[in-house]
Amino acid sequence: ATPVATTAAVPAKLETLQYISAARPAADAKFYVYLCSASWCPPCRAIMPKIVAEYDAVRAAGGEIILLCFDRTPQAGAAYVKKYGAKFPAVMVDFRTVGQMGLPGFTPPRGIPHVTFVTPEGKVMHAGFGGTMLGWRDIIAK
């Protein structure tokens, strides 16, 4: 019998989103990180340079970060991405409806910054405060 190709849930869903960045998510990542953040959030702004600095290493390890931007307008979200030089894909979200986006493994956070690590199938590997992103190597090693 010929093996049936299966499409992982996360990459398939990510293809359907509207991006405010030129970057698009890797369809073949080993893990995905939903990063909930916004320009109006002081803790988000504090951690963003460190997350941006880790992006190349995350990609080299087979991961992908997707910014779920909680800014009020696409212009503010795009300015936030540009200000920090974020090279990862970014999507505008509405805090009231983000749970209805259908992102596999995603549960709306109570606050931001927040990260959720998921497998390509949407199994949650870790969810927590955005600062835990800096411990991503330990998270994916588990």
Side-chain angles (χ1 to χ4, degrees):
T2 307
V4 177
T6 57
T7 302
V10 175
K13 181 59 187 177
L14 293 176
E15 282 182 17
T16 70
L17 302 179
Q18 298 290 320
Y19 292 87
I20 60 167
S21 60
R24 294 296 179 269
D28 60 348
K30 295 176 186 158
F31 65 95
Y32 293 87
V33 182
Y34 302 132
L35 168 63
C36 299
S37 188
S39 67
W40 49 261
C41 163
C44 297
R45 291 192 308 266
I47 197 78
M48 186 59 93
K50 296 175 182 117
I51 293 173
V52 167
E54 287 290 319
Y55 183 61
D56 288 338
V58 169
R59 288 292 299 129
E64 179 65 275
I65 298 172
I66 297 94
L67 171 63
L68 301 180
C69 187
F70 283 76
D71 271 287
R72 289 175 179 88
T73 67
Q75 294 81 5
Y80 183 48
V81 169
K82 185 176 180 182
K83 177 178 180 175
Y84 291 98
K87 293 186 283 183
F88 38 82
V91 176
M92 287 299 298
V93 296
D94 183 319
F95 195 77
R96 297 169 303 234
T97 59
V98 68
Q100 298 164 18
M101 288 177 66
L103 290 172
F106 179 76
T107 301
R110 292 185 177 182
I112 58 174
H114 188 272
V115 291
T116 303
F117 286 70
V118 297
T119 65
E121 297 75 35
K123 180 176 180 270
V124 177
M125 303 163 66
H126 168 84
F129 174 71
T132 62
M133 176 68 214
L134 301 181
W136 67 268
R137 289 174 181 86
D138 295 331
I139 291 167
I140 66 164
K142 290 178 185 171

mmCIF file with all atom_site columns, all heavy atoms in Angstrom, residues 74-87:
data_model
loop_
_atom_site.group_PDB
_atom_site.id
_atom_site.type_symbol
_atom_site.label_atom_id
_atom_site.label_alt_id
_atom_site.label_comp_id
_atom_site.label_asym_id
_atom_site.label_entity_id
_atom_site.label_seq_id
_atom_site.pdbx_PDB_ins_code
_atom_site.Cartn_x
_atom_site.Cartn_y
_atom_site.Cartn_z
_atom_site.occupancy
_atom_site.B_iso_or_equiv
_atom_site.pdbx_formal_charge
_atom_site.auth_seq_id
_atom_site.auth_comp_id
_atom_site.auth_asym_id
_atom_site.auth_atom_id
_atom_site.pdbx_PDB_model_num
ATOM 1   N N   . PRO A 1 74 ? -3.739 47.513 11.916 1.00 0.00 ? 74 PRO A N   1
ATOM 2   C CA  . PRO A 1 74 ? -2.662 46.878 11.142 1.00 0.00 ? 74 PRO A CA  1
ATOM 3   C C   . PRO A 1 74 ? -1.444 47.803 11.000 1.00 0.00 ? 74 PRO A C   1
ATOM 4   O O   . PRO A 1 74 ? -0.309 47.338 10.983 1.00 0.00 ? 74 PRO A O   1
ATOM 5   C CB  . PRO A 1 74 ? -3.302 46.597 9.782  1.00 0.00 ? 74 PRO A CB  1
ATOM 6   C CG  . PRO A 1 74 ? -4.762 46.513 10.069 1.00 0.00 ? 74 PRO A CG  1
ATOM 7   C CD  . PRO A 1 74 ? -5.017 47.495 11.181 1.00 0.00 ? 74 PRO A CD  1
ATOM 8   N N   . GLN A 1 75 ? -1.677 49.110 10.930 1.00 0.00 ? 75 GLN A N   1
ATOM 9   C CA  . GLN A 1 75 ? -0.568 50.062 10.802 1.00 0.00 ? 75 GLN A CA  1
ATOM 10  C C   . GLN A 1 75 ? 0.306  50.015 12.062 1.00 0.00 ? 75 GLN A C   1
ATOM 11  O O   . GLN A 1 75 ? 1.537  50.019 11.972 1.00 0.00 ? 75 GLN A O   1
ATOM 12  C CB  . GLN A 1 75 ? -1.097 51.486 10.575 1.00 0.00 ? 75 GLN A CB  1
ATOM 13  C CG  . GLN A 1 75 ? -1.814 51.679 9.260  1.00 0.00 ? 75 GLN A CG  1
ATOM 14  C CD  . GLN A 1 75 ? -3.279 51.188 9.258  1.00 0.00 ? 75 GLN A CD  1
ATOM 15  O OE1 . GLN A 1 75 ? -3.834 50.770 10.277 1.00 0.00 ? 75 GLN A OE1 1
ATOM 16  N NE2 . GLN A 1 75 ? -3.885 51.214 8.083  1.00 0.00 ? 75 GLN A NE2 1
ATOM 17  N N   . ALA A 1 76 ? -0.330 49.980 13.231 1.00 0.00 ? 76 ALA A N   1
ATOM 18  C CA  . ALA A 1 76 ? 0.433  49.912 14.492 1.00 0.00 ? 76 ALA A CA  1
ATOM 19  C C   . ALA A 1 76 ? 1.184  48.588 14.577 1.00 0.00 ? 76 ALA A C   1
ATOM 20  O O   . ALA A 1 76 ? 2.334  48.543 15.008 1.00 0.00 ? 76 ALA A O   1
ATOM 21  C CB  . ALA A 1 76 ? -0.506 50.076 15.691 1.00 0.00 ? 76 ALA A CB  1
ATOM 22  N N   . GLY A 1 77 ? 0.541  47.512 14.142 1.00 0.00 ? 77 GLY A N   1
ATOM 23  C CA  . GLY A 1 77 ? 1.191  46.202 14.159 1.00 0.00 ? 77 GLY A CA  1
ATOM 24  C C   . GLY A 1 77 ? 2.383  46.157 13.227 1.00 0.00 ? 77 GLY A C   1
ATOM 25  O O   . GLY A 1 77 ? 3.461  45.666 13.593 1.00 0.00 ? 77 GLY A O   1
ATOM 26  N N   . ALA A 1 78 ? 2.215  46.699 12.020 1.00 0.00 ? 78 ALA A N   1
ATOM 27  C CA  . ALA A 1 78 ? 3.310  46.716 11.048 1.00 0.00 ? 78 ALA A CA  1
ATOM 28  C C   . ALA A 1 78 ? 4.465  47.585 11.548 1.00 0.00 ? 78 ALA A C   1
ATOM 29  O O   . ALA A 1 78 ? 5.639  47.229 11.374 1.00 0.00 ? 78 ALA A O   1
ATOM 30  C CB  . ALA A 1 78 ? 2.802  47.212 9.693  1.00 0.00 ? 78 ALA A CB  1
ATOM 31  N N   . ALA A 1 79 ? 4.142  48.692 12.212 1.00 0.00 ? 79 ALA A N   1
ATOM 32  C CA  . ALA A 1 79 ? 5.181  49.574 12.757 1.00 0.00 ? 79 ALA A CA  1
ATOM 33  C C   . ALA A 1 79 ? 5.948  48.858 13.875 1.00 0.00 ? 79 ALA A C   1
ATOM 34  O O   . ALA A 1 79 ? 7.166  49.013 14.007 1.00 0.00 ? 79 ALA A O   1
ATOM 35  C CB  . ALA A 1 79 ? 4.563  50.870 13.279 1.00 0.00 ? 79 ALA A CB  1
ATOM 36  N N   . TYR A 1 80 ? 5.248  48.066 14.667 1.00 0.00 ? 80 TYR A N   1
ATOM 37  C CA  . TYR A 1 80 ? 5.865  47.290 15.754 1.00 0.00 ? 80 TYR A CA  1
ATOM 38  C C   . TYR A 1 80 ? 6.854  46.275 15.186 1.00 0.00 ? 80 TYR A C   1
ATOM 39  O O   . TYR A 1 80 ? 7.997  46.171 15.636 1.00 0.00 ? 80 TYR A O   1
ATOM 40  C CB  . TYR A 1 80 ? 4.740  46.594 16.535 1.00 0.00 ? 80 TYR A CB  1
ATOM 41  C CG  . TYR A 1 80 ? 5.152  45.801 17.746 1.00 0.00 ? 80 TYR A CG  1
ATOM 42  C CD1 . TYR A 1 80 ? 6.006  46.309 18.709 1.00 0.00 ? 80 TYR A CD1 1
ATOM 43  C CD2 . TYR A 1 80 ? 4.611  44.535 17.961 1.00 0.00 ? 80 TYR A CD2 1
ATOM 44  C CE1 . TYR A 1 80 ? 6.338  45.572 19.837 1.00 0.00 ? 80 TYR A CE1 1
ATOM 45  C CE2 . TYR A 1 80 ? 4.923  43.796 19.084 1.00 0.00 ? 80 TYR A CE2 1
ATOM 46  C CZ  . TYR A 1 80 ? 5.792  44.320 20.028 1.00 0.00 ? 80 TYR A CZ  1
ATOM 47  O OH  . TYR A 1 80 ? 6.107  43.595 21.147 1.00 0.00 ? 80 TYR A OH  1
ATOM 48  N N   . VAL A 1 81 ? 6.434  45.553 14.156 1.00 0.00 ? 81 VAL A N   1
ATOM 49  C CA  . VAL A 1 81 ? 7.298  44.570 13.496 1.00 0.00 ? 81 VAL A CA  1
ATOM 50  C C   . VAL A 1 81 ? 8.539  45.272 12.941 1.00 0.00 ? 81 VAL A C   1
ATOM 51  O O   . VAL A 1 81 ? 9.668  44.808 13.132 1.00 0.00 ? 81 VAL A O   1
ATOM 52  C CB  . VAL A 1 81 ? 6.525  43.839 12.374 1.00 0.00 ? 81 VAL A CB  1
ATOM 53  C CG1 . VAL A 1 81 ? 7.457  43.025 11.500 1.00 0.00 ? 81 VAL A CG1 1
ATOM 54  C CG2 . VAL A 1 81 ? 5.423  42.960 12.971 1.00 0.00 ? 81 VAL A CG2 1
ATOM 55  N N   . LYS A 1 82 ? 8.327  46.398 12.282 1.00 0.00 ? 82 LYS A N   1
ATOM 56  C CA  . LYS A 1 82 ? 9.429  47.141 11.661 1.00 0.00 ? 82 LYS A CA  1
ATOM 57  C C   . LYS A 1 82 ? 10.387 47.700 12.712 1.00 0.00 ? 82 LYS A C   1
ATOM 58  O O   . LYS A 1 82 ? 11.612 47.625 12.558 1.00 0.00 ? 82 LYS A O   1
ATOM 59  C CB  . LYS A 1 82 ? 8.869  48.269 10.791 1.00 0.00 ? 82 LYS A CB  1
ATOM 60  C CG  . LYS A 1 82 ? 9.927  49.023 10.020 1.00 0.00 ? 82 LYS A CG  1
ATOM 61  C CD  . LYS A 1 82 ? 9.303  50.063 9.107  1.00 0.00 ? 82 LYS A CD  1
ATOM 62  C CE  . LYS A 1 82 ? 10.396 50.806 8.347  1.00 0.00 ? 82 LYS A CE  1
ATOM 63  N NZ  . LYS A 1 82 ? 9.843  51.845 7.487  1.00 0.00 ? 82 LYS A NZ  1
ATOM 64  N N   . LYS A 1 83 ? 9.831  48.259 13.781 1.00 0.00 ? 83 LYS A N   1
ATOM 65  C CA  . LYS A 1 83 ? 10.660 48.881 14.822 1.00 0.00 ? 83 LYS A CA  1
ATOM 66  C C   . LYS A 1 83 ? 11.687 47.904 15.375 1.00 0.00 ? 83 LYS A C   1
ATOM 67  O O   . LYS A 1 83 ? 12.838 48.267 15.612 1.00 0.00 ? 83 LYS A O   1
ATOM 68  C CB  . LYS A 1 83 ? 9.773  49.400 15.959 1.00 0.00 ? 83 LYS A CB  1
ATOM 69  C CG  . LYS A 1 83 ? 10.572 49.991 17.114 1.00 0.00 ? 83 LYS A CG  1
ATOM 70  C CD  . LYS A 1 83 ? 9.695  50.534 18.214 1.00 0.00 ? 83 LYS A CD  1
ATOM 71  C CE  . LYS A 1 83 ? 10.556 51.098 19.333 1.00 0.00 ? 83 LYS A CE  1
ATOM 72  N NZ  . LYS A 1 83 ? 9.750  51.745 20.359 1.00 0.00 ? 83 LYS A NZ  1
ATOM 73  N N   . TYR A 1 84 ? 11.280 46.657 15.594 1.00 0.00 ? 84 TYR A N   1
ATOM 74  C CA  . TYR A 1 84 ? 12.176 45.667 16.187 1.00 0.00 ? 84 TYR A CA  1
ATOM 75  C C   . TYR A 1 84 ? 12.883 44.805 15.138 1.00 0.00 ? 84 TYR A C   1
ATOM 76  O O   . TYR A 1 84 ? 13.663 43.934 15.494 1.00 0.00 ? 84 TYR A O   1
ATOM 77  C CB  . TYR A 1 84 ? 11.418 44.799 17.203 1.00 0.00 ? 84 TYR A CB  1
ATOM 78  C CG  . TYR A 1 84 ? 11.044 45.621 18.413 1.00 0.00 ? 84 TYR A CG  1
ATOM 79  C CD1 . TYR A 1 84 ? 9.789  46.177 18.546 1.00 0.00 ? 84 TYR A CD1 1
ATOM 80  C CD2 . TYR A 1 84 ? 11.992 45.889 19.404 1.00 0.00 ? 84 TYR A CD2 1
ATOM 81  C CE1 . TYR A 1 84 ? 9.459  46.966 19.635 1.00 0.00 ? 84 TYR A CE1 1
ATOM 82  C CE2 . TYR A 1 84 ? 11.671 46.687 20.499 1.00 0.00 ? 84 TYR A CE2 1
ATOM 83  C CZ  . TYR A 1 84 ? 10.412 47.209 20.609 1.00 0.00 ? 84 TYR A CZ  1
ATOM 84  O OH  . TYR A 1 84 ? 10.092 48.002 21.685 1.00 0.00 ? 84 TYR A OH  1
ATOM 85  N N   . GLY A 1 85 ? 12.592 45.048 13.874 1.00 0.00 ? 85 GLY A N   1
ATOM 86  C CA  . GLY A 1 85 ? 13.253 44.281 12.825 1.00 0.00 ? 85 GLY A CA  1
ATOM 87  C C   . GLY A 1 85 ? 12.902 42.802 12.864 1.00 0.00 ? 85 GLY A C   1
ATOM 88  O O   . GLY A 1 85 ? 13.714 41.947 12.514 1.00 0.00 ? 85 GLY A O   1
ATOM 89  N N   . ALA A 1 86 ? 11.684 42.499 13.285 1.00 0.00 ? 86 ALA A N   1
ATOM 90  C CA  . ALA A 1 86 ? 11.254 41.101 13.376 1.00 0.00 ? 86 ALA A CA  1
ATOM 91  C C   . ALA A 1 86 ? 11.162 40.491 11.983 1.00 0.00 ? 86 ALA A C   1
ATOM 92  O O   . ALA A 1 86 ? 10.500 41.048 11.106 1.00 0.00 ? 86 ALA A O   1
ATOM 93  C CB  . ALA A 1 86 ? 9.902  41.007 14.088 1.00 0.00 ? 86 ALA A CB  1
ATOM 94  N N   . LYS A 1 87 ? 11.842 39.369 11.783 1.00 0.00 ? 87 LYS A N   1
ATOM 95  C CA  . LYS A 1 87 ? 11.834 38.698 10.482 1.00 0.00 ? 87 LYS A CA  1
ATOM 96  C C   . LYS A 1 87 ? 10.808 37.567 10.440 1.00 0.00 ? 87 LYS A C   1
ATOM 97  O O   . LYS A 1 87 ? 10.634 36.934 9.412  1.00 0.00 ? 87 LYS A O   1
ATOM 98  C CB  . LYS A 1 87 ? 13.229 38.125 10.181 1.00 0.00 ? 87 LYS A CB  1
ATOM 99  C CG  . LYS A 1 87 ? 14.281 39.205 9.979  1.00 0.00 ? 87 LYS A CG  1
ATOM 100 C CD  . LYS A 1 87 ? 15.601 38.619 9.546  1.00 0.00 ? 87 LYS A CD  1
ATOM 101 C CE  . LYS A 1 87 ? 16.323 37.995 10.717 1.00 0.00 ? 87 LYS A CE  1
ATOM 102 N NZ  . LYS A 1 87 ? 17.641 37.459 10.399 1.00 0.00 ? 87 LYS A NZ  1
#
